Amino acid sequence: MDRLSGKLLFGLSFGMMLLQFLCYGFFRSPLPTVIAMLLLKATASTMFMMVSLKIVRNIVDGSSTSTALSVVNAVNALSGILFLNVGGAVADALSMQAYYLVLAAAALVGLLLCLLLKIGNTQRVFSA
């Protein structure tokens, strides 16, 4: 994880989320959905948390890392609440597949924003 840039790792994480949401949105059969969930969900979620830690460690001073991670987690929780409300409205109006396509669009926006990310790879976070 330390050898790869945060930009690349964030891009991979958003790419896995995008693929996962596209599978949920387009496939009606449970088999591809379960395979996508097993292969991508845990990996993408864990990678997203680890990359967030890596980027926070590269941006802020070492003494402020826990505070910065708390802010990141608070923003993640608030965005989760927002997407649950939006998702409920979309699922009520259209369908769950449409909701997953909205999530895929959000992941695509995150992937595109990731291209603009400029963070140095100065701190070694995961190795000694």
Side-chain angles (χ1 to χ4, degrees), residues 3-77:
R3 286 186 235 148
L4 300 174
S5 71
K7 182 177 180 176
L8 176 66
L9 291 170
F10 242 174
L12 288 173
S13 179
F14 274 115
M16 282 191 272
M17 283 188 262
L18 176 64
L19 185 62
Q20 173 188 351
F21 293 141
L22 287 174
C23 285
Y24 292 168
F26 285 123
F27 293 117
R28 302 270 182 201
S29 171
L31 184 63
T33 305
V34 169
I35 290 171
M37 184 175 56
L38 290 175
L39 294 177
L40 298 172
K41 184 169 178 39
T43 307
S45 298
T46 303
M47 183 183 287
F48 192 81
M49 288 187 297
M50 292 175 75
V51 171
S52 295
L53 172 64
K54 178 180 176 156
I55 288 176
V56 166
R57 283 284 294 154
N58 279 303
I59 291 175
V60 300
D61 187 34
S63 62
S64 302
T65 302
S66 62
T67 304
L69 285 173
S70 298
V71 170
V72 168
N73 287 331
V75 170
N76 280 338

Side-chain angles (χ1 to χ4, degrees), residues 96-110:
M96 281 303 290
Q97 279 78 23
Y99 172 60
Y100 283 121
L101 293 177
V102 169
L103 289 177
L108 182 63
V109 168

